Amino acid sequence: MSVALVLVSHSTRLADGVAELTAEMAPDVVVRCAAGDVDGGLGTSLERVQEALDAALAGAASAVVLADLGSAVLTVESALEIDPDLTRRVRLVSAPFVEGAVAAAVTAQQGAQLEGVVAAAEDAARSIGPEPVYELVESSGAEGPPVAATGTQGEVVPEPGAPSSGAADEVSTVVEIRNPLGLHARPAAVVARSVADFGVPVTVEGADATSVLALMSLGTTAGQRVTVTARGEGADTAVALVTGLIEGGFGEA
Amino acid sequence: MTELDVGWAERWIRQAASDLKAGRDELTELDRRIGDGDHGNNMDRGFTAVVAKLDGQAEPLETVGQVLKLVATTLMSTVGGASGPLYGTAFLRASKVVDQATADAGHLVSLVEAATEGIVARGRAHVGEKTMVDAWQPAVEAAESAAESGDALAVLRAAAEAAEAGAVATVPLVATKGRASYLGERSAGTEDPGARSTAMLLAAAVTAAEGAAA
């Protein structure tokens, strides 16, 4: 694996938790943590950062670094200042810690080079966006709890499993999410990896299926029907691949 | 005095360690009011570690730059929060401009300039934001003005006096950078702890040089 990940956090538990998350989604990517101060308390330590960088670069051609708060950033910058040679192989990215790490790890797992992994991490902020992820739904008294809408209102949804064509070379299938938590982290990673490996662009409800964060941001739930779309050569196989994975329930349903 | 030697650099750092230990509670109290209350302990811990490293040197250090680089790496490793990387970068940059056994007035001006550039680059702070830059930047200007005299001690004195005045001048400022900025208007009325420790550090450089002159 050519690009490693280094997680620099004030908290060992925070870094370990993010590393656990990335390990599940991107099992082959080298991830090293540099967390806590020299005494193991909250803070960052130059030595730990240097050790983590060395360890990461021992197993990879380059490393992307994520840092959680101000002085963690300063500590990484200090390490790069002390050893300017590192800057050829190490990039400190401006990205949200969790989302950036996940995006970077999954992209590295897909075989991207340094620039691609950096771009994925830095693009991860968009998955959060300026708006709340979930709009609060106002409960209207006696009508009981609101029911989550599934599918897009007003849209004629074809039956599951029946491929349909929009544009000339577009293949599209509607499939029902079976696993209880929807396309959460692990299933999203499975889909993203498979689509990336297959090499034909696929969207799920319009979201790029190679992006774990885009898939997770759909906020899908069990029972929801989603449209899987691909276009061009190999489109039908790619759509079948993704619908197959979703119908399989990822071993959770 | 035209030159200061590597012995001065070591005395400076030991004096700074002693002054920061004596000033630990003052720094901590300032930081408790407008920060997270650990600046005094952090600086004391960092410079105590530096002194231990100086004591543990098998071979005597040969250049002023070597002393400053040892300070830099030790502070970066041992001082928590932002001040470790900030002071560490300051000493690292300074170490590169005085890579010889003695420092003349011009070297000392470069030292203060390089240290300040390091802090500005690392902290992305500017004058007036109630940070240590408010002590360093006036020190640079004063050192540059004093350089013509060719007197190394005069350069240090000018820098230290300007840093002291700069630190005091942070009292009424409202912080717009660093943790104190979370307090907004409430940060006014307290001296910036980083500017205070900067003033202590440069005053120690003068004390160490005066010891050499006496």
Side-chain angles (χ1 to χ4, degrees):
Chain A
M1 202 53 59
S2 64
V3 183
L5 213 59
V6 174
L7 305 173
V8 181
S9 169
H10 282 63
S11 155
T12 53
R13 287 193 288 169
L14 179 55
D16 288 346
V18 174
E20 184 185 9
L21 204 54
T22 59
E24 175 142 324
M25 296 194 223
D28 301 324
V29 175
V30 173
V31 179
R32 290 285 177 271
C33 298
D37 67 12
V38 277
D39 305 323
L42 291 180
T44 51
S45 141
L46 178 72
E47 278 153 24
R48 290 188 181 206
V49 170
Q50 289 171 323
E51 284 165 12
L53 287 173
D54 286 347
L57 291 175
S62 55
V64 165
V65 184
L66 286 111
D68 66 350
L69 289 169
S71 57
V73 174
L74 299 186
T75 304
V76 175
E77 289 177 340
S78 298
L80 298 179
E81 174 135 7
I82 287 175
D83 185 359
D85 287 349
L86 283 176
T87 53
R88 287 185 291 115
R89 295 173 67 195
V90 174
R91 290 281 294 277
L92 172 63
V93 294
S94 173
F97 195 61
V98 178
E99 291 84 350
V102 168
V106 171
T107 308
Q109 176 79 34
Q110 292 168 1
Q113 298 303 304
L114 183 60
E115 293 305 320
V117 177
V118 166
E122 295 191 332
D123 200 41
R126 286 201 305 150
S127 75
I128 306 171
E131 302 294 328
V133 176
Y134 294 106
E135 297 291 342
L136 288 175
V137 181
E138 282 182 35
S139 177
S140 47
E143 291 175 24
V147 180
T150 58
T152 310
Q153 283 180 352
E155 190 182 316
V156 180
V157 184
E159 282 306 300
S164 65
S165 293
D169 56 350
E170 187 178 282
V171 180
S172 182
T173 298
V174 173
V175 61
E176 184 176 316
I177 304 282
R178 294 182 191 275
N179 53 315
L181 295 175
L183 295 177
H184 66 93
R186 195 186 61 84
V190 171
V191 171
R193 216 148 60 211
S194 306
V195 172
D197 285 346
F198 194 68
V200 173
V202 176
T203 61
V204 176
E205 292 291 292
D208 175 5
T210 60
S211 165
V212 173
L213 294 172
L215 293 173
M216 289 170 70
S217 299
L218 292 172
T220 54
T221 50
Q224 183 174 343
R225 303 201 319 173
V226 296
T227 306
V228 179
T229 306
R231 184 169 291 180
E233 196 176 340
D236 45 0
T237 315
V239 168
L241 171 72
V242 174
T243 53
L245 287 171
I246 293 174
E247 282 179 335
F250 305 94
E252 297 174 353
Chain B
M1 188 183 302
T2 56
E3 285 190 333
L4 291 164
D5 62 9
V6 65
W8 159 76
E10 274 210 37
R11 283 198 310 282
W12 169 23
I13 300 313
R14 290 175 188 277
Q15 183 69 43
S18 161
D19 291 354
L20 287 164
K21 190 175 287 298
R24 182 178 64 188
D25 291 348
E26 180 192 354
L27 292 175
T28 292
E29 174 57 20
L30 293 175
D31 198 33
R32 195 187 58 72
R33 283 190 223 159
I34 60 169
D36 53 5
D38 62 1
H39 192 54
N41 285 336
N42 279 338
M43 295 301 286
D44 181 25
R45 176 163 75 160
F47 274 82
T48 299
V50 172
V51 169
K53 281 263 176 73
L54 284 174
D55 289 342
Q57 291 296 306
E59 301 285 323
L61 297 170
E62 287 169 7
T63 69
V64 174
Q66 285 171 0
V67 174
L68 301 183
K69 185 166 187 193
L70 182 142
V71 175
T73 52
T74 310
L75 290 183
M76 283 178 177
S77 309
T78 57
V79 178
S83 49
L86 289 171
Y87 276 122
T89 304
F91 277 98
L92 192 65
R93 298 265 179 110
S95 74
K96 292 174 184 167
V97 297
V98 204
D99 196 19
Q100 55 265 314
T102 58
D104 63 18
H107 290 128
L108 293 173
V109 173
S110 302
L111 187 161
V112 178
E113 285 171 343
T116 306
E117 281 162 16
I119 283 171
V120 169
R122 189 62 66 245
R124 301 170 184 90
H126 303 94
V127 168
E129 294 178 325
K130 200 179 180 96
T131 69
M132 55 175 79
V133 174
D134 290 319
W136 282 102
Q137 191 57 44
V140 169
E141 288 156 21
E144 287 168 348
S145 301
E148 268 184 37
S149 67
D151 182 345
L153 179 54
V155 168
L156 286 181
R157 278 191 179 137
E161 281 164 19
E164 172 66 29
V168 171
T170 64
V171 174
L173 295 179
V174 172
T176 53
K177 204 86 186 181
R179 197 180 298 245
S181 64
Y182 303 160
L183 294 172
E185 297 288 333
R186 281 177 292 141
S187 63
T190 299
E191 188 174 38
D192 179 66
R196 173 46 48 202
S197 59
T198 297
M200 288 179 174
L201 205 53
L202 291 176
V206 175
T207 307
E210 285 171 343

